[in-house]
Amino acid sequence: MPLSSRPAAVALATAGAVAATLIAAGPAQAVAATDTATKPTTLATPKSMAAANGKLFVSDGNTVAVLGTDGVTQKSVTGMFGARDVLASPAGDRVYVALSQAGAIAVLDTGTLTEVGRYPTGECPVHLAFAGSRLFYGAGCDQWDGGIGSVDATTGADPQTVKTTKMYAAPLLAGAGNTLVAGVGGISNGPVFTYRVDGATVTELAQKDTGGSLDRVAVSPDGSKVATAAGAPYHLAQYDAATLSAAGSFETGPYPTDVAYSHGGTMIGGGVDSTYGPGGNIVAFDVAAGTEVLSGNAHPKAAYNRPAPLSGTLTWSADDSRLYAILDDFTGRSDQPNIYYLAAGFDTPPAQAVTTTELKLVAPAKAGAKVRATATVPGHPGVTVRFVRSSPAGELTVTATTNQSGAATVDIPAPAGGSVTAYYDGDDSNKPSSATAAYKTVTTTTVTVSGQYKTVKKVAYFRDKKNIVIKVAVSSPVGGRWITAVLQGKSGGKWKTLQAKDFPLDASGRYYIGLASANKKVQYRLVAKFAGDQYGKSSSATGRTFVIG
């Protein structure tokens, strides 16, 4: 065919078409849980809690923190080395503290908040219980060494050792009336032992394996029943104290960590590590009926990250109108990995205040840049905001703490456009709120001409149309996008459009195009245009000039 003064018309087609000029080629590659009031505390390493004389006594490292029911520390009693179990006397005038690093039990006056006595024990007392006229302690300095000792509850005199089978840790203890119960935690079978106490004489009554990961034991006020909380089964289990035969259960769901009978014996409370469960983490049941009377969501954060009650801190107020527990909120921060809250079941939380979260985005200024998100929760400095990016590139969560103005700013990777939602999860006093905003990325379109060719004055010369491959790519790739390919030919020193056709990009933002036919000795080029979409801005590019033959 002789050369024409203008290029012959050419056609664009999809893969498999024969008659077209440009063809597409394959790529080269239970009871409704209600909110329960919580209060932040300044506790550092709480282990056990007891309620007495209108106050809460918490072992906290080498101190005993005396809290009001508002969670505020009223006094710290020092010199309590290795403080572990805290046990209130039946009258509430004394609190006893196991000092695991001092080989003693400290006696505190709940009125003056001072130490009024110290009972020597064997090494490493950890757990405490009253039974008969004795004060018992479960001791153990390591995982393979556990035993039970006792002293006169009034004087601390007449030390005795209880003969037991081998225990692999300091046994958990509970007692009431003439009944003492001991359990061994940390082993798969969860053995529990019951004893009758007559003066200084202790007689074993029964023994039973109750379940894995035993966390706590309790005895009903009349001494007739024993209850356990363990990682399995998923309920508070109750047994007859004399025989350890089953005597009922109270369903909590996974995972019960604490158990305590009310002083009147009509209710039984439980602490539940229910981070991912639908039920509450502070529960209580009517003992006789087996019905649930409290299912409290005690959480200063959203339920998805609900703090867990600390085993050993569940305690009833003297009048049984409140069920208290310490909650462990793990933050993950190096400066303060744990924050502890005081939960008060049966309390009525104040109405939550309405909050507003505001969000502003600064879209990426260039391809590959991040999107800047600023969330403001007016009047709420020092709270956590979750920024959740949703886009075809996937979901990403970034957290930040608001400054004194209630604002928090983060830069979020933006491989594709999408939206950002800022969540303030609220707390006991404030309702949660959120805001969403969309953004687009800057895209870059490229046209790359490749194959077997030689370059003369920046023009690529190909021997045959089969040798040419044209790759079109759009950055910030999103599956399902289309580009318009415009084939141009040069005539009289000007570029003229010969044909335009739309092609779909793959998930990587690419498409390969080849020539089906073309005139020889004519200069061609391809222009690719991306019109933009909800995720990215428009862009275009022009490929290099090429000649066939």
PDB file of all heavy atoms in Angstrom, residues 52-53 88-94 110:
ATOM      1  N   ALA A  52     -15.504  -2.643 104.044  1.00  0.00           N
ATOM      2  CA  ALA A  52     -15.702  -2.598 105.498  1.00  0.00           C
ATOM      3  C   ALA A  52     -15.872  -1.153 105.935  1.00  0.00           C
ATOM      4  O   ALA A  52     -15.161  -0.263 105.465  1.00  0.00           O
ATOM      5  CB  ALA A  52     -14.523  -3.234 106.236  1.00  0.00           C
ATOM      6  N   ASN A  53     -16.819  -0.934 106.839  1.00  0.00           N
ATOM      7  CA  ASN A  53     -17.003   0.378 107.462  1.00  0.00           C
ATOM      8  C   ASN A  53     -17.199   1.482 106.418  1.00  0.00           C
ATOM      9  O   ASN A  53     -16.701   2.600 106.579  1.00  0.00           O
ATOM     10  CB  ASN A  53     -15.807   0.695 108.365  1.00  0.00           C
ATOM     11  CG  ASN A  53     -16.154   1.703 109.451  1.00  0.00           C
ATOM     12  OD1 ASN A  53     -17.308   2.087 109.616  1.00  0.00           O
ATOM     13  ND2 ASN A  53     -15.144   2.141 110.194  1.00  0.00           N
ATOM     14  N   ALA A  88     -12.113  -8.759 105.363  1.00  0.00           N
ATOM     15  CA  ALA A  88     -12.784  -7.979 106.401  1.00  0.00           C
ATOM     16  C   ALA A  88     -13.347  -8.906 107.476  1.00  0.00           C
ATOM     17  O   ALA A  88     -13.833 -10.007 107.183  1.00  0.00           O
ATOM     18  CB  ALA A  88     -13.904  -7.148 105.791  1.00  0.00           C
ATOM     19  N   SER A  89     -13.264  -8.455 108.718  1.00  0.00           N
ATOM     20  CA  SER A  89     -13.874  -9.216 109.809  1.00  0.00           C
ATOM     21  C   SER A  89     -15.393  -9.159 109.673  1.00  0.00           C
ATOM     22  O   SER A  89     -15.939  -8.242 109.045  1.00  0.00           O
ATOM     23  CB  SER A  89     -13.458  -8.627 111.150  1.00  0.00           C
ATOM     24  OG  SER A  89     -13.989  -7.315 111.298  1.00  0.00           O
ATOM     25  N   PRO A  90     -16.118 -10.144 110.251  1.00  0.00           N
ATOM     26  CA  PRO A  90     -17.587 -10.131 110.155  1.00  0.00           C
ATOM     27  C   PRO A  90     -18.207  -8.835 110.662  1.00  0.00           C
ATOM     28  O   PRO A  90     -19.211  -8.367 110.125  1.00  0.00           O
ATOM     29  CB  PRO A  90     -17.994 -11.334 111.010  1.00  0.00           C
ATOM     30  CG  PRO A  90     -16.812 -12.261 110.936  1.00  0.00           C
ATOM     31  CD  PRO A  90     -15.621 -11.373 110.911  1.00  0.00           C
ATOM     32  N   ALA A  91     -17.609  -8.227 111.698  1.00  0.00           N
ATOM     33  CA  ALA A  91     -18.148  -6.985 112.253  1.00  0.00           C
ATOM     34  C   ALA A  91     -17.738  -5.769 111.430  1.00  0.00           C
ATOM     35  O   ALA A  91     -18.298  -4.678 111.613  1.00  0.00           O
ATOM     36  CB  ALA A  91     -17.691  -6.810 113.697  1.00  0.00           C
ATOM     37  N   GLY A  92     -16.756  -5.899 110.555  1.00  0.00           N
ATOM     38  CA  GLY A  92     -16.306  -4.799 109.727  1.00  0.00           C
ATOM     39  C   GLY A  92     -15.388  -3.823 110.417  1.00  0.00           C
ATOM     40  O   GLY A  92     -15.028  -2.792 109.842  1.00  0.00           O
ATOM     41  N   ASP A  93     -14.975  -4.129 111.667  1.00  0.00           N
ATOM     42  CA  ASP A  93     -14.094  -3.197 112.383  1.00  0.00           C
ATOM     43  C   ASP A  93     -12.625  -3.453 112.100  1.00  0.00           C
ATOM     44  O   ASP A  93     -11.779  -2.629 112.439  1.00  0.00           O
ATOM     45  CB  ASP A  93     -14.359  -3.271 113.886  1.00  0.00           C
ATOM     46  CG  ASP A  93     -14.122  -4.670 114.446  1.00  0.00           C
ATOM     47  OD1 ASP A  93     -14.212  -5.655 113.665  1.00  0.00           O
ATOM     48  OD2 ASP A  93     -13.848  -4.803 115.652  1.00  0.00           O
ATOM     49  N   ARG A  94     -12.311  -4.583 111.518  1.00  0.00           N
ATOM     50  CA  ARG A  94     -10.931  -4.941 111.220  1.00  0.00           C
ATOM     51  C   ARG A  94     -10.819  -5.439 109.781  1.00  0.00           C
ATOM     52  O   ARG A  94     -11.747  -6.007 109.225  1.00  0.00           O
ATOM     53  CB  ARG A  94     -10.423  -6.051 112.166  1.00  0.00           C
ATOM     54  CG  ARG A  94     -10.363  -5.649 113.637  1.00  0.00           C
ATOM     55  CD  ARG A  94      -9.181  -4.720 113.889  1.00  0.00           C
ATOM     56  NE  ARG A  94      -8.976  -4.464 115.303  1.00  0.00           N
ATOM     57  CZ  ARG A  94      -9.519  -3.450 115.971  1.00  0.00           C
ATOM     58  NH1 ARG A  94     -10.335  -2.607 115.316  1.00  0.00           N
ATOM     59  NH2 ARG A  94      -9.273  -3.265 117.248  1.00  0.00           N
ATOM     60  N   THR A 110     -10.435  -0.304 110.778  1.00  0.00           N
ATOM     61  CA  THR A 110     -11.132   0.339 109.662  1.00  0.00           C
ATOM     62  C   THR A 110     -11.661   1.727 110.019  1.00  0.00           C
ATOM     63  O   THR A 110     -12.121   2.455 109.136  1.00  0.00           O
ATOM     64  CB  THR A 110     -12.300  -0.533 109.183  1.00  0.00           C
ATOM     65  OG1 THR A 110     -13.236  -0.710 110.261  1.00  0.00           O
ATOM     66  CG2 THR A 110     -11.804  -1.885 108.712  1.00  0.00           C
TER      67      THR A 110
END
